[in-house]
Amino acid sequence: MKQFYSTKDVYDLEGLLQTISSFKQAPHSVPLAGQHKSLAMLFFNPSLRTRMSTERAATNLGMDVITMNMKDSWAWELEEGQVMDADKAEHVREAAGVISSYADIVAIRSFPGLKDKKEDDRDALLSTFIKHCSKPVINLESSLRHPLQSLTDLFTIREHMTKKNPKIVLSWAPHPKALPHTVALSFLEWMRFGRHQVVVTHPEGYELDPSFMKGHSLEYDRDKAFENADFIYVKNWSAANPYGKVLNIDKSRMITLESLKRTRKAKLMHCLPVRRNMVISDDAMDSNHSIIQQQAKNRLHTAQAVIYHLLTNMQT
Ligand code: CP
């Protein structure tokens, strides 16, 4: 693997899943794999799991980690040929060049603006940084994709599935703030790996980008969608039209223990953070359905496997 931006970077999924499993069993099995190598992590947005799991993953492999909260740094100009006379003090070309000289792997988180879908679809920060960076880049969540989360989700589903072709429902749930589509889109992209029956359920007006829906089905009626489901993956995202707005905070779409009764004892998943009694009720969060803590723990093993594969590729 040369970088980790999307599914397209994964040449050997089964090998990667096997490495995740191995690091879950023995996280300190290769403590010198990243000796004298450094990981630079740049956060343009907040994080708990991604930051801590990736940092811990790198140190398990013997790497040094430099973490930057980018709110403490210079604002980057991403466009070419600009007269930089406004608030942006540094061009991404220089920033990427400098960071490439300090780090062996660079990891970046940058959320979408949720104002202009076309602009968010460009994923400009990640794509321009990758273009100008000479080191492998890990996407820690960008406008369209959250591959460390989605690979973790795939691994967690593989761990818990009890039949070959499980029914997986991606269920929208209410939230008071406008959230990106990223986790939902990325989940749909990664669920194309393997034999899964994926059904998406959300209120009208919350349609996800059709290119990510390919191979999956849509059922507006949540009760119908939940019938015989093996996994319920809960996530909020903002509206499709008008893009990035909150149209609906219909509490009847909150996931409760009652709502899970029509499933096939489905496992309940969420990427976290989650707002209790808004997105998922206490009784569902604290029930035997929930594998949310196991899912979050797997973020560590996934990050370690991805970094390990990038390090291994550098040596060949
Ligand atoms: N799921 C996830 O990415 O969590 P953080 O935003 O806390 O990193």
Side-chain angles (χ1 to χ4, degrees), residues 123-307:
D123 212 357
L125 196 143
L126 262 282
S127 55
T128 56
F129 188 86
I130 288 170
K131 190 170 155 195
H132 299 297
C133 180
S134 59
K135 299 292 169 60
V137 174
I138 300 175
N139 177 356
L140 297 177
E141 186 171 348
S142 64
S143 290
L144 296 173
R145 294 176 171 90
H146 191 356
L148 286 174
Q149 181 65 54
S150 309
L151 174 58
T152 301
D153 299 337
L154 182 64
F155 177 78
T156 308
I157 287 170
R158 292 265 188 115
E159 278 187 316
H160 288 88
M161 64 193 226
T162 53
K163 63 182 197 191
K164 275 193 177 152
N165 185 12
K167 179 176 177 185
I168 300 166
V169 179
L170 171 62
S171 183
W172 180 95
H175 195 286
K177 296 203 163 177
L179 297 188
H181 296 199
T182 318
V183 169
L185 297 178
S186 194
F187 181 74
L188 293 177
E189 183 170 74
W190 283 78
M191 282 305 112
R192 288 208 200 99
F193 282 126
R195 293 176 61 218
H196 309 118
Q197 182 197 344
V198 178
V199 179
V200 182
T201 183
H202 56 72
E204 290 195 29
Y206 281 81
E207 288 71 19
L208 292 167
D209 190 305
S211 64
F212 286 83
M213 283 294 292
K214 265 185 210 144
H216 307 312
S217 58
L218 170 63
E219 171 56 70
Y220 289 110
D221 183 332
R222 193 186 69 174
D223 286 348
K224 268 194 200 162
F226 275 26
E227 273 165 23
N228 296 318
D230 299 291
F231 292 88
I232 304 292
Y233 195 100
V234 188
K235 189 69 189 85
N236 170 271
W237 59 89
S238 51
N241 189 13
Y243 176 70
K245 300 288 178 217
V246 176
L247 297 181
N248 185 328
I249 46 172
D250 175 5
K251 279 270 194 124
S252 71
R253 285 252 178 190
M254 177 172 71
I255 307 301
T256 61
L257 194 55
E258 182 64 29
S259 70
L260 295 172
K261 280 188 179 152
R262 60 182 62 242
T263 69
R264 216 178 66 91
K265 296 187 179 165
K267 301 295 183 199
L268 180 63
M269 300 178 72
H270 190 286
C271 64
L272 298 177
V274 68
R275 290 182 183 236
R276 280 176 173 251
N277 304 312
M278 180 78 212
V279 177
I280 304 178
S281 66
D282 281 339
D283 63 1
M285 276 301 287
D286 300 330
S287 72
N288 290 336
H289 289 275
S290 175
I291 55 169
I292 292 170
Q293 282 293 335
Q294 294 98 310
Q295 182 186 359
K297 181 178 180 296
N298 283 338
R299 288 291 307 272
L300 169 60
H301 315 306
T302 300
Q304 191 167 341
V306 167
I307 296 169

Side-chain angles (χ1 to χ4, degrees), residues 102-117:
Y102 298 157
D104 299 284
I105 298 176
V106 187
I108 306 190
R109 164 167 285 197
S110 172
F111 291 170
L114 289 182
K115 290 190 171 71
D116 176 348
K117 183 173 183 318

Side-chain angles (χ1 to χ4, degrees), residues 66-127:
I66 307 163
T67 303
M68 277 290 292
N69 176 352
M70 294 305 287
K71 289 202 168 67
D72 297 334
S73 188
W74 312 111
W76 292 355
E77 175 60 62
L78 304 180
E79 307 304 328
E80 297 296 330
Q82 294 298 306
V83 176
M84 290 172 55
D85 60 355
D87 56 334
K88 292 175 182 155
E90 177 148 40
H91 201 278
V92 66
R93 279 175 175 265
E94 280 73 55
V98 170
I99 294 164
S100 300
S101 71
Y102 298 157
D104 299 284
I105 298 176
V106 187
I108 306 190
R109 164 167 285 197
S110 172
F111 291 170
L114 289 182
K115 290 190 171 71
D116 176 348
K117 183 173 183 318
K118 274 195 185 142
E119 184 55 31
D120 288 347
D121 287 352
R122 283 178 64 210
D123 212 357
L125 196 143
L126 262 282
S127 55

